[in-house]
């Protein structure tokens, strides 16, 4: 149901969060939809999400949730969607106010957003996926590729012992998980390489990573272009960017928050303009 009440408040919470493009994207959508809502970046220290949410009054409609709070968002919610629970993290908290008080619902638009971004680029059949990193984004990506023919997800990590939660999320998606030590420089052909690690890490072996992959999805979008994306394009590989993911998940998030739809290019265009002027 659409929620077009005037003066509603939303925000993106993270730490750090000042760099987030979410305010730019959501405000652009509000302008198209004719909503006088507000959307701000709010820095919330690690471990502080529950206290922050508890302090919000009835003018607040929703929060977009980014690192490091995606897993904490599940714990504080009154209800959790299946996709958020399976992925092990939520990027959206919906604050629903009724006669019996407030209900907080946790959802995840990273999963369908990633799948939409890949599909938009024609990346639709990826039996073997190599993922650099094993955080909350990696877990969401695993669930996204489960709908694109994936059977095996390789998690390339610097600390094998910290991959347990993401391995569980991969298994929850019905996929086989293989954890590989980044120091051994795993090689071999894969259908999709997904980088969820900083440019400084992925760029170290950009040519080799890109050369092994039929397609590349780099969730980093700032600074852009990354060495990995440049190497992938030079090798003639399809490239999906973090900005594509951000835009598609934002459109789905906006639908949850407002009940209204906008074209993905509305929010993606606003983000590109912001990056160009930064």
């Amino acid at each position: 149901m659409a929620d077009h009440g005037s003066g509603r408040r939303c925000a993106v919470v993270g730490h750090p969060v000042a760099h987030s493009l979410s305010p730019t994207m959501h405000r652009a959508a509000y302008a198209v939809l004719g909503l006088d809502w507000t959307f701000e970046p709010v820095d919330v220290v690690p471990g502080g999400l529950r206290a922050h949410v508890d302090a919000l009054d009835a003018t607040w409609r929703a929060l977009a949730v980014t690192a490091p709070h995606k897993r904490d968002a599940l714990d504080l919610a009154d209800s959790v969607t299946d996709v958020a629970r399976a992925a092990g993290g939520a990027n959206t908290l919906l604050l629903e106010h009724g006669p019996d008080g407030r209900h907080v619902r946790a959802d995840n638009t990273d999963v369908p957003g990633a799948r939409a971004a890949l599909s938009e680029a024609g990346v639709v059949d990826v039996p073997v996926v190599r993922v650099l990193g094993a955080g909350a984004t990696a877990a969401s990506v695993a669930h996204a590729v489960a709908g694109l023919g994936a059977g095996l997800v390789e998690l390339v990590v610097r600390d094998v012992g910290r991959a347990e939660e993401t391995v569980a999320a991969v298994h929850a998606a019905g996929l086989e998980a293989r954890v590989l030590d980044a120091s051994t420089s795993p090689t071999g052909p894969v259908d999709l390489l997904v980088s969820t690690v900083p440019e400084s890490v992925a760029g170290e072996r950009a040519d080799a990573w890109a050369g092994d992959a039929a397609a590349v999805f780099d969730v980093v979008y700032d600074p852009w272009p990354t060495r990995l994306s440049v190497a992938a394009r030079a090798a003639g590989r399809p490239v999906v960017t973090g900005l594509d993911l951000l835009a598609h998940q934002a459109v789905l998030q906006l639908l949850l928050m407002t009940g209204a739809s906008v074209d993905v290019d509305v929010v993606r265009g606003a983000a590109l303009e912001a990056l160009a002027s930064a």
Side-chain angles (χ1 to χ4, degrees), residues 4 21-39 247 249-255 257-271:
H4 290 165
L21 289 172
S22 290
T24 295
M25 301 171 92
H26 282 251
R27 290 168 188 165
Y30 295 165
V32 169
L33 295 171
L35 297 178
D36 63 347
W37 290 25
T38 61
F39 195 106
Q249 70 80 24
V251 166
L252 296 168
Q253 200 169 57
L254 280 155
L255 181 60
M257 293 177 175
T258 71
S261 299
V262 297
D263 189 275
V264 68
D265 283 329
V266 169
V267 296
R268 182 161 48 198

Side-chain angles (χ1 to χ4, degrees), residues 119-212:
S119 298
E120 183 183 42
V123 182
V124 294
D125 187 20
V126 290
V128 180
V129 180
R130 178 173 293 146
V131 181
L132 308 182
T137 300
S140 291
V141 166
H143 283 265
V145 298
L148 298 174
L152 169 65
V153 173
E154 297 180 349
L155 298 171
V156 181
V157 297
R158 292 191 170 185
D159 183 351
V160 173
R162 299 182 64 183
E164 291 182 3
E165 288 187 52
T166 303
V167 168
V170 173
H171 289 159
L175 307 179
E176 178 185 353
R178 181 180 299 159
V179 181
L180 304 174
D181 189 333
S183 65
T184 66
S185 300
T187 60
V190 294
D191 300 290
L192 176 65
L193 173 74
V194 183
S195 176
T196 69
V197 298
E199 151 73 359
S200 59
V201 176
E204 292 175 354
R205 299 186 60 246
D207 290 337
W209 290 128
D212 281 344

